Amino acid sequence: MTAERETDPSHLVSYGLLLAVTGPTGTDGPSIRGLVGASLRASVARILASDPVVRLAEDPEGVHQARVATRRLRSDLRFFAPVLDIGWARGLRAELARYALALGLARDADVLLDAMTSAAATLSPRDLPEAERLVGRLRCERDDIQLELLGAMRSPRYRVMLDDLVAAALDPAVVPEAADRDARTLGSLMDRPWAHLERAYHDPGPDPSDADLHAIRIRAKRARYAADALVPVFGKPARRFARAAAELQAVLGRQHDAVIATAWLRATAAHEVAGTAFVAGELAAGQQAIARAHRDDWREMWARLERRKLRFWR
């Protein structure tokens, strides 16, 4: 790898063209290899497209798209694991996990900053200066996170990961005995993410904690991504399940965001002067109300997802 490539992301153009030519969406056919390849290409293309947007740091959507693509790619590697070379898939997931962590910190800060900016605008004019102080502190924290993210993206390890991802997207390591099988035979793989989601729902009992709800959200997201990966071969039934899982994930995501915002405000207030701490308390009360409201909403979403007719793979 040349010094120029180590400092200049322009090589991403060739990656993007390569993926465009081979088709980032759809499948190469009804085979398992075709389905896996199409799924990986879609996420890798998304990661590559978001790279310059993340670097410029002018649009939070870049970080969001990169994070979603990274999560989907890791999910696909986990979901398709029974038909993939174990070491190959594990190595890719490990490298993606490092990038996902950096993206996660940035995305969480963006979500929190947006929530605090919106909430601050609802306060009385007399409280606005203190609210702006809190928002300003959060912006400084986000700037520090961006520097760490850029450091990771400028490293040789990140560029090696991109090369490996492109290679994986174009030539996925599907085990030979499964490569040419009908991709519909992978429907049974849905049993695992669905079982994990059901367990996450039932284990906490009637009064789940915030941590329990977060766990349900994670499992709903994984089940959704798994169903999305099967849409090319199962069509509308898989898409309906994925949509229902996405609705559950979304409402629990809003609840989790409010919980995180409350925790940040509580921790920040402990180090602020009285006036700023008071405003932090006002904002925290609003976030707690949001979290409580979504606690009342999410079971309706679960009831929709739990309907037997949505089990497209059985």
Side-chain angles (χ1 to χ4, degrees):
M1 188 170 294
T2 66
E4 182 180 355
R5 282 189 62 186
E6 289 179 358
T7 58
D8 182 1
S10 61
H11 63 284
L12 294 177
V13 174
S14 61
Y15 285 167
L17 290 175
L18 184 60
L19 289 171
V21 169
T22 56
T25 58
T27 67
D28 294 335
S31 71
I32 288 176
R33 179 182 174 79
L35 179 65
V36 172
S39 295
L40 299 189
R41 285 197 299 277
S43 292
V44 172
R46 200 170 179 181
I47 289 173
L48 297 175
S50 65
D51 179 286
V53 186
V54 174
R55 291 175 188 267
L56 289 173
E58 294 176 353
D59 184 358
E61 187 64 17
V63 170
H64 176 56
Q65 291 299 322
R67 189 187 195 190
V68 170
T70 304
R71 282 178 165 178
R72 281 185 177 273
L73 191 51
R74 293 181 69 209
S75 176
D76 285 348
L77 291 168
R78 182 189 302 109
F79 179 62
F80 290 126
V83 296
L84 298 177
D85 178 89
I86 296 175
W88 176 85
R90 184 177 296 146
L92 285 176
R93 289 190 67 238
E95 288 304 305
L96 282 165
R98 297 179 69 256
Y99 184 41
L101 178 60
L103 287 171
L105 293 174
R107 178 57 183 168
D108 289 346
D110 285 338
V111 171
L112 181 56
L113 181 57
D114 183 63
M116 291 299 95
T117 302
S118 298
T122 67
L123 299 179
S124 65
R126 67 184 296 179
D127 290 332
L128 285 180
E130 300 301 333
E132 290 172 358
R133 175 183 171 89
L134 289 168
V135 172
R137 177 169 178 168
L138 185 53
R139 284 200 181 96
C140 289
E141 292 180 9
R142 176 61 178 88
D143 289 343
D144 290 341
I145 291 172
Q146 179 68 16
L147 290 176
E148 293 179 5
L149 176 57
L150 287 177
M153 295 178 72
R154 290 167 179 161
S155 69
R157 189 167 185 171
Y158 173 75
R159 290 186 293 278
V160 170
M161 182 193 77
L162 292 184
D163 288 336
D164 289 344
L165 291 181
V166 171
L170 298 180
D171 188 20
V174 178
V175 294
E177 59 270 26
D180 295 326
R181 278 177 18 213
D182 188 332
R184 290 183 64 89
T185 61
L186 295 180
S188 61
L189 296 184
M190 279 297 303
D191 284 334
R192 182 179 176 85
W194 175 248
H196 287 169
L197 176 54
E198 280 192 308
R199 191 177 306 120
Y201 171 78
H202 290 293
D203 282 354
D207 188 25
S209 66
D210 291 333
D212 292 329
L213 293 180
H214 184 48
I216 295 171
R217 173 180 172 247
I218 290 173
R219 294 301 184 182
K221 177 180 61 183
R222 290 180 180 176
R224 169 198 174 186
Y225 287 168
D228 278 338
L230 294 176
V231 165
V233 289
F234 284 91
K236 289 183 179 179
R239 189 174 289 111
R240 281 194 292 269
F241 177 92
R243 188 180 302 118
E247 290 173 352
L248 174 61
Q249 176 192 341
V251 71
L252 289 176
R254 290 190 289 271
Q255 191 271 344
H256 179 67
D257 290 343
V259 169
I260 294 300
T262 301
W264 182 85
L265 287 163
R266 180 178 290 114
T268 301
H271 304 286
E272 293 288 351
V273 297
T276 307
F278 174 81
V279 172
E282 285 189 288
L283 293 171
Q287 294 302 309
Q288 287 175 326
I290 292 173
R292 285 194 299 271
H294 290 306
R295 269 186 165 274
D296 296 333
D297 293 341
W298 75 276
R299 289 190 186 278
E300 178 183 350
M301 306 303 174
W302 168 258
R304 294 177 188 174
L305 180 61
E306 197 179 24
R307 291 176 297 179
R308 183 169 294 277
K309 67 179 183 180
L310 288 185
R311 307 293 185 282
F312 66 90
W313 64 94
R314 293 179 178 173

